[in-house]
């Protein structure tokens, strides 16, 4: 018998290997993640993977390629415009004198204002409402702020328009003519006070040493008339009845006294006392206070 070719020989093995290769190619083409295979005895088997040594590195960029930045694009800021510089305002003029001020400079202020018709009274050295009104009037005529206070600008303008006051302008004997002395005033040391002329004369043996303007009590609290004597001197006296200052007080009848009055200095004859004899020139009453003694005579007459 002739021999028969045995089926399933090498031809079949080749056919099986071919089928395996086609399947692998088909899997890769279809997008599946296929494992690489090795061939050898016993058929195909998975390839052994290389051990991992950290995350995979991206391949280097080709020469000349530009790498895109990974962070946000930097923002460019325009510099903020600063505030427009402004010119500082000039300092306010300093105040030299105001209501309540007293002294030689106030007296000079009043005398200078009187020279140019803004102060119609005798200088007293006390800065009250009358002086404030005079200063305000002067300021208004010179287009200055009408504050009534004497600042450096107002004072400088006044100095430029006036001359230095004389002693007579600073301390005139009195604004009102002194009345003829009462006969009771012609001997000894006497404070001779006239209600007619509203003046006080400090007299020694018939001679007038000093004279000044005075005011009296109202009709409800009149100043007593007659002959008295000084029984108490009180330099810094304060009224216990009215709680008001009575500097340089020379008491002559009960609670009535000759004394300096800042109210009289400020308001003039627009007011009245509570019975005392008010003096508005502090310098003059201070001088008389220093000379008068306890027991000196006081005569209040018409």
């Amino acid at each position: 018998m002739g021999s028969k070719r045995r089926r399933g020989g090498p031809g079949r093995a080749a056919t099986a290997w071919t089928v395996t290769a086609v399947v692998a190619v088909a899997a890769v083409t279809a997008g599946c993640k296929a494992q690489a295979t090795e061939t050898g005895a016993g058929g195909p088997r998975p390839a052994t993977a290389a051990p991992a040594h950290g995350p995979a590195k991206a391949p280097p960029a080709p020469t000349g390629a530009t790498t895109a930045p990974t962070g946000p694009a930097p923002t460019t800021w325009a510099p903020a415009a600063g505030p427009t510089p402004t010119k500082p305002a000039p300092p306010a003029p300093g105040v030299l004198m105001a209501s309540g001020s007293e002294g030689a400079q106030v007296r000079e202020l009043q005398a200078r204002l009187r020279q140019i018709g803004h102060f119609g009274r005798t200088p007293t050295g006390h800065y009250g409402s009358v002086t404030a009104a005079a200063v305000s009037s002067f300021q208004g005529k010179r287009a200055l702020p009408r504050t009534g206070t004497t600042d450096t600008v107002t004072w400088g303008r006044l100095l430029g328009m006036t001359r230095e006051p004389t002693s007579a302008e600073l301390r005139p004997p009195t604004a009102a003519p002194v009345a003829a002395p009462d006969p009771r005033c012609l001997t000894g040391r006497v404070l001779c006070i006239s209600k007619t002329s509203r003046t006080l004369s400090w007299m020694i043996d018939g001679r007038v040493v000093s004279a000044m303007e005075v005011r009296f009590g109202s009709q409800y609290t009149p100043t007593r008339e007659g002959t008295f004597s000084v029984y108490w001197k009180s330099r810094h006296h304060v009224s216990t009845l009215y709680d008001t200052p009575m500097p340089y007080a020379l008491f002559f009848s009960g609670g009535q006294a000759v004394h300096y009055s800042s109210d009289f200095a400020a308001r003039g004859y627009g007011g009245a006392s509570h019975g005392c004899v008010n003096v508005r020139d502090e310098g003059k009453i201070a001088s008389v206070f220093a000379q008068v003694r306890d027991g000196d005579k006081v005569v209040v007459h018409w």
Side-chain angles (χ1 to χ4, degrees):
M1 289 183 64
S3 61
K4 294 183 180 179
R5 182 176 295 180
R6 192 175 176 182
R7 295 182 181 180
R12 288 186 177 182
T15 302
W17 186 92
T18 302
V19 172
T20 302
V22 170
V23 172
V25 170
V28 171
T29 305
C32 297
K33 187 176 180 181
Q35 293 181 340
T37 60
E38 294 180 356
T39 58
R45 62 179 180 271
T48 303
H53 296 285
K57 296 183 179 179
T63 305
T66 302
T67 303
T70 58
T75 304
T76 302
W77 296 95
T84 304
T86 57
K87 187 177 181 180
V95 175
L96 300 177
M97 292 167 277
S99 292
S101 299
E102 294 183 343
Q105 191 176 26
V106 176
R107 187 181 293 274
E108 181 181 353
L109 167 70
Q110 294 167 333
R112 287 181 181 272
L113 289 170
R114 191 175 185 181
Q115 289 177 8
I116 54 177
H118 285 279
F119 190 77
R121 301 189 178 187
T122 300
T124 63
H126 178 83
Y127 203 122
S129 58
V130 175
T131 303
V135 171
S136 178
S137 173
F138 172 80
Q139 291 169 329
K141 291 287 186 181
R142 274 76 200 173
L144 299 174
R146 297 179 66 122
T147 62
T149 61
T150 304
D151 54 39
T152 52
V153 174
T154 301
W155 182 244
R157 188 71 63 87
L158 181 61
L159 292 180
M161 298 181 61
T162 56
R163 53 176 172 73
E164 185 175 353
T166 64
S167 297
E169 288 175 321
L170 291 171
R171 298 178 181 275
T174 183
V178 178
D182 185 277
R184 292 170 290 180
C185 301
L186 297 178
T187 57
R189 301 162 58 88
V190 187
L191 291 171
C192 193
I193 302 167
S194 171
K195 285 189 171 182
T196 301
S197 64
R198 296 191 292 192
T199 58
L200 179 153
S201 298
W202 166 233
M203 303 180 65
I204 299 177
D205 296 330
R207 178 177 62 89
V208 176
V209 177
S210 179
M212 60 205 74
E213 294 174 303
V214 294
R215 75 177 182 183
F216 305 98
S218 67
Q219 60 177 327
Y220 305 105
T221 55
T223 303
R224 304 181 188 98
E225 301 155 18
T227 301
F228 312 93
S229 61
V230 175
Y231 70 88
W232 183 30
K233 296 172 61 175
S234 181
R235 167 64 182 84
H236 300 286
H237 193 78
V238 177
S239 171
T240 56
L241 288 177
Y242 305 105
D243 194 28
T244 55
M246 297 171 57
Y248 306 103
L250 300 167
F251 287 91
F252 61 87
S253 176
Q256 294 189 355
V258 176
H259 67 84
Y260 170 71
S261 168
S262 59
D263 182 74
F264 183 27
R267 296 200 296 153
Y269 291 102
S273 74
H274 292 97
C276 290
V277 179
N278 290 165
V279 179
R280 66 178 173 186
D281 191 318
E282 187 174 10
K284 289 184 175 181
I285 188 60
S287 176
V288 169
F289 182 87
Q291 299 175 56
V292 170
R293 307 166 188 163
D294 288 350
D296 285 347
K297 193 185 326 183
V298 179
V299 175
V300 182
H301 65 94
W302 283 101

